[in-house]
């Protein structure tokens, strides 16, 4: 599937922003309350699946990929991101993770090269159906794709102002994410809301786990 020009423009804008903002991304408060709950869910899924070759897509400054390598010690861990600024921070964090440049919709892996693909708190930036199909392509049979995605419990009023470019696909409903997975060929094994402290529930993210038959 060819990515539309508006989406390419959005990807370029996001990449430039995060290259500039990468140092602030690691702020302890932001990581602990916003990103850590979703990352904990993905770590638990990987621990249960026990993959040998894992890739964290849109890895940012490498916090999750580094945790995967240190806590689970699979054979090989990759971190993939489009932002040079993010990857510079990631490379300083760990020399054991393999850091690669690339978009979620065109991953730098051969067919069937991985046993697990994860992505945390970045799915809303992707061309989502194309990314899920790409996850399927790079996984070996039996491989797992686990995605945490912003998915509001109720429609966001602001989304109506931006039209189809932002809604509903930008922050899809649970049934839409499930359909993306099944359309790509996955068996959906789990889907549930990420557990969060009550006062942080304004961040409403959803875990979806698919297995490649």
């Amino acid at each position: 599937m060819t990515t539309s020009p508006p989406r390419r423009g959005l990807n370029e804008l996001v990449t430039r922003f995060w290259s500039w903002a990468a140092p602030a991304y690691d702020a302890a408060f932001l990581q602990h309350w916003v990103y850590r709950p979703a990352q904990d869910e993905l770590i638990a899924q990987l621990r249960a699946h026990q993959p040998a070759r894992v890739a964290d897509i849109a890895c940012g400054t490498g916090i999750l990929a580094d945790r995967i390598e240190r806590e689970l010690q699979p054979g090989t861990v990759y971190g993939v991101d489009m932002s040079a600024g993010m990857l510079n921070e990631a490379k300083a964090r760990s020399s054991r993770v393999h850091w690669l440049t690339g978009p979620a919709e065109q991953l730098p892996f051969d067919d069937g090269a991985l046993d697990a693909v994860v992505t945390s708190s970045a799915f809303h930036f992707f061309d989502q159906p194309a990314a899920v199909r790409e996850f399927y392509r790079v996984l070996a049979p039996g491989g797992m794709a686990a995605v945490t995605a912003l998915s509001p419990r109720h429609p966001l009023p602001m989304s109506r102002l931006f039209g189809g470019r932002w809604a509903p696909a930008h922050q899809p409903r649970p049934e839409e994410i499930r359909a993306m997975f099944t359309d790509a060929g996955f068996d959906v094994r789990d889907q549930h809301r990420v557990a969060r402290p009550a006062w942080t529930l304004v961040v409403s993210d959803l875990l979806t786990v698919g297995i490649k038959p």
Side-chain angles (χ1 to χ4, degrees):
M1 176 179 176
T2 302
T3 306
S4 64
R7 175 57 61 179
R8 285 200 299 269
L10 176 61
N11 280 346
E12 291 165 4
L13 179 63
V14 168
T15 300
R16 289 198 299 270
F17 170 77
W18 283 117
S19 291
W20 170 78
Y25 180 81
D26 285 352
F29 179 87
L30 186 68
Q31 285 297 322
H32 183 75
W33 294 113
V34 177
Y35 296 112
R36 179 100 185 189
Q39 293 173 0
D40 287 346
E41 295 263 10
L42 294 173
I43 291 284
Q45 293 290 334
L46 290 169
R47 182 173 283 112
H49 196 70
Q50 297 187 330
R53 302 162 297 172
V54 184
D56 176 20
I57 311 305
C59 65
T61 60
I63 291 175
L64 176 58
D66 180 50
R67 284 189 64 192
I68 293 168
E69 195 283 326
R70 288 186 294 102
E71 297 178 26
L72 305 180
Q73 298 184 341
T76 309
V77 179
Y78 299 95
V80 183
D81 204 280
M82 293 198 303
S83 165
M86 286 290 193
L87 288 175
N88 286 338
E89 299 284 330
K91 290 172 184 176
R93 184 181 304 281
S94 174
S95 61
R96 295 180 298 275
V97 176
H98 301 271
W99 306 108
L100 303 173
T101 303
E105 303 87 354
Q106 194 173 6
L107 295 173
F109 301 106
D110 292 335
D111 295 358
L114 301 173
D115 303 304
V117 171
V118 299
T119 188
S120 176
S121 306
F123 194 64
H124 50 288
F125 291 131
F126 301 164
D127 179 334
Q128 295 160 0
V132 174
R133 289 194 298 270
E134 187 71 346
F135 297 168
Y136 188 91
R137 180 188 69 80
V138 302
L139 287 172
M144 178 185 76
V147 171
T148 62
L150 293 176
S151 180
R153 296 170 188 269
H154 306 288
L156 296 176
M158 286 297 292
S159 67
R160 298 188 183 95
L161 300 178
F162 294 98
R165 178 175 173 181
W166 294 90
H170 185 62
Q171 295 186 357
R173 298 185 301 274
E175 60 271 22
E176 293 175 309
I177 301 178
R178 181 178 288 271
M180 291 178 205
F181 271 67
T182 57
D183 288 350
F186 286 105
D187 293 332
V188 176
R189 296 293 176 86
D190 191 9
Q191 188 178 66
H192 63 264
R193 294 281 173 186
V194 172
R196 289 183 171 277
W199 70 273
T200 67
L201 289 180
V202 66
V203 179
S204 184
D205 41 0
L206 186 78
L207 171 72
T208 305
V209 179
I211 301 296
K212 180 174 179 175

